[in-house]
Amino acid sequence: MNPLPSQLNAERGAFSSFEACRNTQQGTVVILASGASARHFPLGEFAHLPIIAMNGSVALTAACAVKPFFYVCTDKSFRDQQPALFALALRDSERLALWPEQFAGADIPPGTECYPLHKAANPGVFDCLRGGGASHVCSRALWSKRGSSIAFSKDLSIGYYDARTVVYVALQLAYHLGFEQVLLVGVDLDQSVGRFYETDDGEHSPCGLDQHWHSRILPALTLMAEQVMDEHFRVYNVSASSRIPPALVPRINLAEARRIAA
């Protein structure tokens, strides 16, 4: 695996460049989400793989003494809702992908690479007609303003496309970095079950999975499955209880995940 280039310290007002880390990686990456199924995943067995953590899933990486290869958080309120977990992510992660304002005043260890997130512009009519370009793919739903905004960024230097779940941002990041295989862990996307790190008497962050499932999340995952996933970018779902249809993202068991990781 190729090392990423050294970067400037965000505390001095400079950030790392997404362009500099594009296609610098290869092999398999774990995308670790916060679904209840993550609690039963033996993360320590997969610690030799790069791990993209997000939001509160760093509770599991910390418990397993694993440093996230990347930490992604697009929820600007998460820092206030879960300050302990956010501080844990800043402390442990090798690389951070956050909104620029999330870096302000944050206690970030020296040497951490800091990548500022921004959204990509919605595809234009010409993009929709041809289904995208070298840097992205998009829906051809010209008749629908909402549908035509469904897209997948292959190059995060132009920004990411929002599907109302941070998992979709992590998938775009995995593609951008050059990984060829992705193991989805804890990507249950089941609002009724909740997150593995939340307790009945603890702080709960808002969740809009049900609200956006049919309008944003499922259409975006369908686009990825049909136009992005191929022999060069394979995505596997390790969650047996995931809401993602197996017809879109193949569902595998732990034995198969171990084989891929090996």
Side-chain angles (χ1 to χ4, degrees):
M1 184 176 299
N2 299 324
L4 291 176
S6 60
Q7 306 293 345
L8 296 176
N9 192 326
E11 289 296 305
R12 300 204 304 266
F15 292 108
S16 306
S17 164
F18 273 116
E19 180 59 37
C21 68
R22 189 182 184 195
N23 292 327
T24 57
Q25 306 302 303
Q26 59 186 7
T28 304
V29 65
V30 173
I31 288 181
L32 179 64
S34 304
S37 66
R39 186 185 298 113
H40 309 292
F41 183 77
L43 187 65
E45 291 185 31
F46 296 79
H48 62 287
L49 296 178
I51 295 172
I52 298 176
M54 62 203 75
N55 296 353
S57 70
V58 290
L60 186 57
T61 58
C64 298
V66 174
K67 290 187 175 296
F69 179 76
F70 245 108
Y71 174 77
V72 185
C73 182
T74 57
D75 182 355
K76 296 179 182 179
S77 62
F78 185 80
R79 178 178 183 173
D80 297 324
Q81 293 162 356
Q82 301 285 353
L85 288 175
F86 189 76
L88 192 67
L90 300 189
R91 185 198 73 186
D92 288 353
S93 303
E94 298 174 1
R95 299 163 185 86
L96 303 170
L98 309 171
W99 291 98
E101 54 264 43
Q102 289 175 297
F103 288 109
D107 186 12
I108 302 173
T112 305
E113 297 174 12
C114 301
Y115 295 81
L117 290 169
H118 70 281
K119 290 185 180 180
N122 282 342
V125 173
F126 183 68
D127 276 338
C128 292
L129 285 171
R130 65 179 183 172
S135 62
H136 66 288
V137 298
C138 59
S139 169
R140 292 184 171 90
L142 288 171
W143 62 89
S144 167
K145 182 177 180 181
R146 174 180 290 173
S148 63
S149 68
I150 300 295
F152 183 99
S153 176
K154 296 180 175 181
D155 180 359
L156 288 192
S157 63
I158 70 161
Y160 74 87
Y161 290 99
D162 181 33
R164 301 306 175 95
T165 172
V166 68
V167 170
Y168 197 63
V169 183
L171 284 161
Q172 293 169 83
L173 175 61
Y175 187 99
H176 171 93
L177 290 168
F179 289 109
E180 297 141 328
Q181 298 185 117
V182 178
L183 298 178
L184 297 180
V185 175
V187 185
D188 303 348
L189 299 176
D190 187 346
Q191 184 169 329
S192 65
V193 176
R195 305 172 178 94
F196 76 84
Y197 60 85
E198 291 180 340
T199 59
D200 292 338
D201 56 351
E203 185 72 26
H204 286 238
S205 300
C207 183
L209 290 176
D210 288 347
Q211 177 185 355
H212 301 294
W213 174 253
H214 290 290
S215 62
R216 302 291 304 180
I217 301 172
L218 183 58
L221 292 171
T222 301
L223 176 77
M224 180 190 75
E226 294 178 348
Q227 299 192 44
V228 181
M229 289 169 54
D230 57 20
E231 66 273 17
H232 304 295
F233 186 68
R234 300 176 181 177
V235 182
Y236 303 95
N237 194 350
V238 190
S239 170
S241 57
S242 177
R243 199 175 184 179
I244 303 175
L248 293 183
V249 177
R251 197 168 292 171
I252 63 174
N253 58 32
L254 189 56
E256 292 170 306
R258 289 185 176 116
R259 178 183 57 79
I260 292 171

PDB file of all heavy atoms in Angstrom, residues 187-199:
ATOM      1  N   VAL A 187     -23.378  -1.280   8.494  1.00  0.00           N
ATOM      2  CA  VAL A 187     -24.201  -0.449   7.609  1.00  0.00           C
ATOM      3  C   VAL A 187     -25.604  -1.063   7.565  1.00  0.00           C
ATOM      4  O   VAL A 187     -26.042  -1.609   6.552  1.00  0.00           O
ATOM      5  CB  VAL A 187     -23.580  -0.327   6.204  1.00  0.00           C
ATOM      6  CG1 VAL A 187     -24.391   0.643   5.338  1.00  0.00           C
ATOM      7  CG2 VAL A 187     -22.139   0.175   6.302  1.00  0.00           C
ATOM      8  N   ASP A 188     -26.291  -0.988   8.687  1.00  0.00           N
ATOM      9  CA  ASP A 188     -27.634  -1.554   8.801  1.00  0.00           C
ATOM     10  C   ASP A 188     -28.673  -0.617   8.197  1.00  0.00           C
ATOM     11  O   ASP A 188     -29.658  -1.060   7.616  1.00  0.00           O
ATOM     12  CB  ASP A 188     -27.988  -1.803  10.263  1.00  0.00           C
ATOM     13  CG  ASP A 188     -26.996  -2.726  10.965  1.00  0.00           C
ATOM     14  OD1 ASP A 188     -26.168  -3.359  10.274  1.00  0.00           O
ATOM     15  OD2 ASP A 188     -27.051  -2.807  12.203  1.00  0.00           O
ATOM     16  N   LEU A 189     -28.480   0.697   8.394  1.00  0.00           N
ATOM     17  CA  LEU A 189     -29.406   1.721   7.900  1.00  0.00           C
ATOM     18  C   LEU A 189     -30.830   1.472   8.409  1.00  0.00           C
ATOM     19  O   LEU A 189     -31.807   1.728   7.702  1.00  0.00           O
ATOM     20  CB  LEU A 189     -29.379   1.785   6.368  1.00  0.00           C
ATOM     21  CG  LEU A 189     -28.020   2.152   5.746  1.00  0.00           C
ATOM     22  CD1 LEU A 189     -28.102   2.088   4.230  1.00  0.00           C
ATOM     23  CD2 LEU A 189     -27.569   3.533   6.199  1.00  0.00           C
ATOM     24  N   ASP A 190     -30.922   0.990   9.636  1.00  0.00           N
ATOM     25  CA  ASP A 190     -32.207   0.659  10.259  1.00  0.00           C
ATOM     26  C   ASP A 190     -32.445   1.605  11.428  1.00  0.00           C
ATOM     27  O   ASP A 190     -31.876   1.440  12.502  1.00  0.00           O
ATOM     28  CB  ASP A 190     -32.196  -0.792  10.729  1.00  0.00           C
ATOM     29  CG  ASP A 190     -33.554  -1.266  11.227  1.00  0.00           C
ATOM     30  OD1 ASP A 190     -34.430  -0.408  11.463  1.00  0.00           O
ATOM     31  OD2 ASP A 190     -33.731  -2.486  11.383  1.00  0.00           O
ATOM     32  N   GLN A 191     -33.281   2.593  11.210  1.00  0.00           N
ATOM     33  CA  GLN A 191     -33.518   3.608  12.224  1.00  0.00           C
ATOM     34  C   GLN A 191     -34.182   3.026  13.468  1.00  0.00           C
ATOM     35  O   GLN A 191     -33.944   3.500  14.587  1.00  0.00           O
ATOM     36  CB  GLN A 191     -34.402   4.721  11.646  1.00  0.00           C
ATOM     37  CG  GLN A 191     -34.639   5.883  12.589  1.00  0.00           C
ATOM     38  CD  GLN A 191     -35.290   7.064  11.892  1.00  0.00           C
ATOM     39  OE1 GLN A 191     -35.073   7.278  10.700  1.00  0.00           O
ATOM     40  NE2 GLN A 191     -36.080   7.840  12.618  1.00  0.00           N
ATOM     41  N   SER A 192     -34.996   1.986  13.320  1.00  0.00           N
ATOM     42  CA  SER A 192     -35.727   1.424  14.458  1.00  0.00           C
ATOM     43  C   SER A 192     -34.811   0.748  15.466  1.00  0.00           C
ATOM     44  O   SER A 192     -35.138   0.645  16.653  1.00  0.00           O
ATOM     45  CB  SER A 192     -36.776   0.415  13.967  1.00  0.00           C
ATOM     46  OG  SER A 192     -36.155  -0.708  13.369  1.00  0.00           O
ATOM     47  N   VAL A 193     -33.650   0.275  15.013  1.00  0.00           N
ATOM     48  CA  VAL A 193     -32.720  -0.430  15.900  1.00  0.00           C
ATOM     49  C   VAL A 193     -31.778   0.539  16.600  1.00  0.00           C
ATOM     50  O   VAL A 193     -31.401   0.347  17.760  1.00  0.00           O
ATOM     51  CB  VAL A 193     -31.922  -1.490  15.108  1.00  0.00           C
ATOM     52  CG1 VAL A 193     -30.891  -2.166  15.998  1.00  0.00           C
ATOM     53  CG2 VAL A 193     -32.868  -2.518  14.513  1.00  0.00           C
ATOM     54  N   GLY A 194     -31.394   1.594  15.900  1.00  0.00           N
ATOM     55  CA  GLY A 194     -30.512   2.587  16.496  1.00  0.00           C
ATOM     56  C   GLY A 194     -29.043   2.266  16.311  1.00  0.00           C
ATOM     57  O   GLY A 194     -28.673   1.348  15.581  1.00  0.00           O
ATOM     58  N   ARG A 195     -28.192   3.037  16.983  1.00  0.00           N
ATOM     59  CA  ARG A 195     -26.744   2.910  16.855  1.00  0.00           C
ATOM     60  C   ARG A 195     -26.182   2.077  18.005  1.00  0.00           C
ATOM     61  O   ARG A 195     -26.676   2.137  19.124  1.00  0.00           O
ATOM     62  CB  ARG A 195     -26.104   4.296  16.853  1.00  0.00           C
ATOM     63  CG  ARG A 195     -26.685   5.228  15.782  1.00  0.00           C
ATOM     64  CD  ARG A 195     -26.158   6.641  15.958  1.00  0.00           C
ATOM     65  NE  ARG A 195     -26.659   7.544  14.937  1.00  0.00           N
ATOM     66  CZ  ARG A 195     -27.741   8.318  15.078  1.00  0.00           C
ATOM     67  NH1 ARG A 195     -28.439   8.278  16.212  1.00  0.00           N
ATOM     68  NH2 ARG A 195     -28.121   9.116  14.094  1.00  0.00           N
ATOM     69  N   PHE A 196     -25.120   1.349  17.718  1.00  0.00           N
ATOM     70  CA  PHE A 196     -24.601   0.409  18.728  1.00  0.00           C
ATOM     71  C   PHE A 196     -24.045   1.118  19.959  1.00  0.00           C
ATOM     72  O   PHE A 196     -24.014   0.549  21.043  1.00  0.00           O
ATOM     73  CB  PHE A 196     -23.526  -0.498  18.112  1.00  0.00           C
ATOM     74  CG  PHE A 196     -22.184   0.152  17.891  1.00  0.00           C
ATOM     75  CD1 PHE A 196     -21.249   0.226  18.911  1.00  0.00           C
ATOM     76  CD2 PHE A 196     -21.846   0.682  16.654  1.00  0.00           C
ATOM     77  CE1 PHE A 196     -20.011   0.828  18.712  1.00  0.00           C
ATOM     78  CE2 PHE A 196     -20.614   1.275  16.441  1.00  0.00           C
ATOM     79  CZ  PHE A 196     -19.692   1.348  17.476  1.00  0.00           C
ATOM     80  N   TYR A 197     -23.603   2.354  19.814  1.00  0.00           N
ATOM     81  CA  TYR A 197     -22.967   3.037  20.933  1.00  0.00           C
ATOM     82  C   TYR A 197     -23.948   3.849  21.766  1.00  0.00           C
ATOM     83  O   TYR A 197     -23.572   4.408  22.807  1.00  0.00           O
ATOM     84  CB  TYR A 197     -21.843   3.949  20.423  1.00  0.00           C
ATOM     85  CG  TYR A 197     -22.294   5.021  19.452  1.00  0.00           C
ATOM     86  CD1 TYR A 197     -22.790   6.238  19.900  1.00  0.00           C
ATOM     87  CD2 TYR A 197     -22.230   4.815  18.085  1.00  0.00           C
ATOM     88  CE1 TYR A 197     -23.202   7.216  19.020  1.00  0.00           C
ATOM     89  CE2 TYR A 197     -22.628   5.789  17.185  1.00  0.00           C
ATOM     90  CZ  TYR A 197     -23.118   6.980  17.653  1.00  0.00           C
ATOM     91  OH  TYR A 197     -23.532   7.948  16.767  1.00  0.00           O
ATOM     92  N   GLU A 198     -25.201   3.942  21.364  1.00  0.00           N
ATOM     93  CA  GLU A 198     -26.178   4.727  22.123  1.00  0.00           C
ATOM     94  C   GLU A 198     -26.902   3.844  23.140  1.00  0.00           C
ATOM     95  O   GLU A 198     -27.249   2.700  22.848  1.00  0.00           O
ATOM     96  CB  GLU A 198     -27.185   5.369  21.165  1.00  0.00           C
ATOM     97  CG  GLU A 198     -26.573   6.457  20.297  1.00  0.00           C
ATOM     98  CD  GLU A 198     -27.565   7.093  19.348  1.00  0.00           C
ATOM     99  OE1 GLU A 198     -28.615   6.479  19.067  1.00  0.00           O
ATOM    100  OE2 GLU A 198     -27.286   8.200  18.868  1.00  0.00           O
ATOM    101  N   THR A 199     -27.133   4.402  24.303  1.00  0.00           N
ATOM    102  CA  THR A 199     -27.840   3.688  25.370  1.00  0.00           C
ATOM    103  C   THR A 199     -29.163   4.385  25.665  1.00  0.00           C
ATOM    104  O   THR A 199     -29.380   5.531  25.266  1.00  0.00           O
ATOM    105  CB  THR A 199     -26.989   3.634  26.648  1.00  0.00           C
ATOM    106  OG1 THR A 199     -26.697   4.982  27.087  1.00  0.00           O
ATOM    107  CG2 THR A 199     -25.670   2.908  26.394  1.00  0.00           C
TER     108      THR A 199
END
